[in-house]
Amino acid sequence: DAGVTQSPTHLIKTRGQQVTLRCSPKSGHDTVSWYQQALGQGPQFIFQYYEEEERQRGNFPDRFSGHQFPNYSSELNVNALLLGDSALYLCASSFPNYGYTFGSGTRLTVV
Amino acid sequence: QKEVEQDPGPLSVPEGAIVSLNCTYSNSAFQYFMWYRQYSRKGPELLMYTYSSGNKEDGRFTAQVDKSSKYISLFIRDSQPSDSATYLCAIQTGGFKTIFGAGTRLFVKA
């Protein structure tokens, strides 16, 4: 049973560019959450998708947007990249009121 | 004040020691409490999930929640070098988001 898969695993972008990260949830999970984890920090909540709608959003600017598809997979888009956007981006899938299953993340470096 | 506070460590212990990891939180309305383990270059892995005060045991791991003090703990018995990782406490707020502590880096020396 495949867990959460994320692509790509690593990415290098230039300031001002746009990036799209992808996530396939664990089989049977219908909820996808995205987190940003800076080096040495805990994951910070970006947003959660359920039934193709953004259900809740953390304290991130509108440059961060997402989408969930009918098969529950999801994308995270970041526009106008800043150096401070360099981080590990984690996708997590879940059932309601249960813990997350995380992917291994996408390491984004902005230069 | 941060919603979840966790000492980042690092914490270094000899093999076989009992490890105690702790977090405090600020909002008494928080309902669900979790511990995750994160190895280097990997995503976090759920270890324990609880929603009530008291203890929950799973093998060598015990999670403890004290809602009156807003304090949660994870105990690891007979620690092994393979337990070396970052341990993240996490609290689900009753909405949809989960708030994570900064993580405690644990090193278990053989």
Side-chain angles (χ1 to χ4, degrees), chain A residues 41-91:
Chain A
Q41 300 296 317
Q44 299 294 312
F45 178 76
I46 302 175
F47 40 54
Q48 184 180 91
Y49 278 84
Y50 174 71
E51 292 188 343
E52 303 179 51
E53 296 288 331
E54 183 183 291
R55 186 156 70 172
Q56 189 170 3
R57 187 178 185 91
N59 189 27
F60 279 80
D62 291 345
R63 298 186 297 108
F64 290 77
S65 63
H67 189 78
Q68 185 179 33
F69 299 94
N71 66 353
Y72 307 125
S73 67
S74 178
E75 290 182 349
L76 165 65
N77 300 291
V78 187
N79 294 322
L81 284 166
L82 304 174
L83 295 178
D85 295 332
S86 296
L88 179 67
Y89 288 84
L90 293 163
C91 172

Side-chain angles (χ1 to χ4, degrees), chain A residues 35 37 42 48 56 97 100 103, chain B residues 36 38 43 49 96-98 101:
Chain A
Y35 282 80
Q37 187 176 26
Q48 184 180 91
Q56 189 170 3
N97 295 335
Y100 292 136
Chain B
Y36 287 82
Q38 187 173 23
Y49 182 95
F96 302 113
K97 75 175 184 179
T98 296

Side-chain angles (χ1 to χ4, degrees), chain B residues 62-81:
Chain B
T62 299
Q64 189 175 81
V65 176
D66 182 348
K67 289 189 175 181
S68 63
S69 301
K70 291 183 282 207
Y71 195 85
I72 61 175
S73 301
L74 179 70
F75 299 97
I76 306 174
R77 291 183 299 279
D78 188 24
S79 57
Q80 303 295 310

Side-chain angles (χ1 to χ4, degrees), chain B residues 29-108:
Chain B
F30 291 162
Q31 296 182 356
Y32 303 96
F33 307 91
M34 290 150 280
W35 285 94
Y36 287 82
R37 176 176 62 195
Q38 187 173 23
Y39 292 113
S40 181
R41 300 187 187 87
K42 296 290 186 181
E45 170 194 13
L46 180 66
L47 284 177
M48 304 287 282
Y49 182 95
T50 183
Y51 55 86
S52 59
S53 282
N55 294 349
K56 180 178 181 179
E57 189 173 319
D58 184 0
R60 297 186 294 113
F61 298 90
T62 299
Q64 189 175 81
V65 176
D66 182 348
K67 289 189 175 181
S68 63
S69 301
K70 291 183 282 207
Y71 195 85
I72 61 175
S73 301
L74 179 70
F75 299 97
I76 306 174
R77 291 183 299 279
D78 188 24
S79 57
Q80 303 295 310
S82 59
D83 294 327
S84 298
T86 296
Y87 290 80
L88 298 154
C89 63
I91 299 175
Q92 195 170 353
T93 61
F96 302 113
K97 75 175 184 179
T98 296
I99 303 170
F100 287 82
T104 300
R105 293 189 67 191
L106 172 66
F107 297 94
V108 181

